[in-house]
Amino acid sequence: MASTSNIILFSNFIGSNVLFSFPNAKTNIITRNKFIIPKSSVLKDLNSQSKAILAARRELKEISKDEIADALERIIAGPEKKNVVVSEEKKRLVAYHEAGNALVGALMPEYDPVAKISIIPRGQAGGLTFFAPSEERLESGLYSRSYLENQMAVALGGRVAEEVIFGGENVTTGASNDFMQVSRVARQMVERLGFSKKIGQVAIGGGGGNPFLGQQMSSQKDYSMATADIVDAEVRELVEKAYDRATQIITTHIDILHKLAQLLIEKETVDGEEFMSLFIDGKAELYLA
């Protein structure tokens, strides 16, 4: 079943979920909901070809920044499905879902800025939210506990928006990949990154690769059932905290959520500048709890 949305981070880190990688790339593509653009010759070649093709199709003599952006988005998320008939009900649902992701991301301190939001279907996604991570974070490869906690809250923003606007009985399966991402990050924080006081500064669990780098996590466990219960409880606590933070932001800034969703319904795509103007007009404040 197609996902409602994907959070994409150009050159970012873990992806609203996870999944493509290129050999010998400095960084890997990661997704659902977020992608990292690998710095590999393979992707560069594909990108150059895509930009040229798009420029030719549009009868342009030069490749502009629009063709560059479209080419990258096409490579990562697939071509736009502009001719697909989408019901007004689904369009409204996707608009609020993406608005929720973007709203939470924009109000998390020290999180990546929103670059673009779109409800035009691409690939298997009904909508996409693009974030632009800092070069410093990309170069260092270091992510703080607060950043990971913020990322989980951002991933849950879409589901929270659905619940607030449409009610708990009318939420959809569009957030399924978000839940997978959040669960994966929380479990890595507990098992591998030393972010759990109860587990301590040790790494436990199977060494099935780092999912932050697009590798699958092993299902093998090297700890007891008692420890497994502690891990599960710690993971649940992290996820519930992220959900509560997203809920507080959505409910506190519900007016901005409505305005952003309506703008998406009207225009289908909102860039970073338009998005930030809503926050200036709405006098939104960062979430500091």
Side-chain angles (χ1 to χ4, degrees):
M1 179 176 294
S3 298
T4 298
S5 74
N6 270 308
I7 300 176
I8 297 180
L9 292 82
F10 278 127
S11 298
N12 158 28
F13 149 67
I14 175 180
S16 197
N17 295 336
V18 141
L19 316 167
F20 308 100
S21 64
F22 286 76
N24 303 319
K26 182 176 181 180
T27 56
N28 295 317
I29 296 181
I30 306 187
T31 135
R32 190 311 173 234
N33 307 359
K34 301 181 181 175
F35 295 89
I36 290 188
I37 296 180
K39 298 178 180 178
S40 67
S41 58
V42 175
L43 188 57
K44 287 180 180 178
D45 290 342
L46 289 173
N47 184 29
S48 298
Q49 294 175 28
S50 297
K51 286 185 291 188
I53 291 172
L54 288 172
R57 286 178 177 173
R58 297 170 183 175
E59 299 182 352
L60 301 174
K61 294 181 180 180
E62 297 180 352
I63 297 175
S64 71
K65 63 180 182 180
D66 291 333
E67 279 63 55
I68 295 174
D70 287 350
L72 290 173
E73 292 169 17
R74 174 183 288 261
I75 291 170
I76 294 175
E80 291 184 346
K81 299 179 180 179
K82 292 185 176 181
N83 297 324
V84 173
V85 178
V86 179
S87 68
E88 289 302 314
E89 181 181 0
K90 181 177 180 180
K91 190 173 184 179
R92 184 167 179 263
L93 173 69
V94 175
Y96 272 101
H97 188 107
E98 295 305 326
N101 286 330
L103 177 59
V104 176
L107 294 179
M108 284 295 173
E110 300 182 7
Y111 197 69
D112 305 316
V114 175
K116 177 180 177 180
I117 315 163
S118 174
I119 61 171
I120 299 175
R122 280 183 180 271
Q124 297 299 307
L128 300 166
T129 297
F130 297 79
F131 290 87
S134 69
E135 287 297 324
E136 180 180 355
R137 184 176 291 118
L138 289 174
E139 291 299 323
S140 69
L142 299 176
Y143 300 89
S144 66
R145 173 174 183 144
S146 62
Y147 181 89
L148 298 182
E149 290 179 340
N150 290 345
Q151 189 176 63
M152 289 189 289
V154 173
L156 293 173
R159 165 51 74 86
V160 171
E162 286 188 37
E163 291 181 344
V164 171
I165 301 303
F166 303 102
E169 297 299 320
N170 297 309
V171 296
T172 69
T173 59
S176 60
N177 283 331
D178 296 318
F179 298 150
M180 292 172 60
Q181 174 199 344
V182 170
S183 298
R184 179 166 48 246
V185 173
R187 190 163 295 276
Q188 282 290 295
M189 291 176 68
V190 174
E191 292 185 340
R192 312 293 295 175
L193 303 178
F195 289 149
S196 167
K197 292 183 179 180
K198 293 182 179 180
I199 296 300
Q201 309 302 308
V202 296
I204 61 176
N210 189 341
F212 298 156
L213 300 180
Q215 301 170 6
Q216 294 298 318
M217 196 168 65
S218 172
S219 61
Q220 296 180 350
K221 304 297 181 184
D222 59 3
Y223 49 75
S224 67
M225 289 299 296
T227 300
D229 289 340
I230 296 175
V231 170
D232 290 343
E234 291 284 88
V235 168
R236 181 174 295 278
E237 182 177 343
L238 286 170
V239 174
E240 289 178 348
K241 178 182 178 181
Y243 178 85
D244 290 342
R245 297 174 78 206
T247 300
Q248 184 172 342
I249 288 177
I250 295 293
T251 54
T252 301
H253 299 88
I254 191 70
D255 290 343
I256 296 178
L257 180 74
H258 286 310
K259 291 179 181 179
L260 177 55
Q262 186 58 41
L263 190 60
L264 283 169
I265 292 172
E266 294 173 358
K267 300 184 62 176
E268 295 189 325
T269 297
V270 175
D271 63 27
E273 292 184 1
E274 291 177 296
F275 175 69
M276 289 309 300
S277 68
L278 292 177
F279 284 80
I280 295 175
D281 295 340
K283 299 180 180 179
E285 298 181 355
L286 287 177
Y287 180 90
L288 300 177

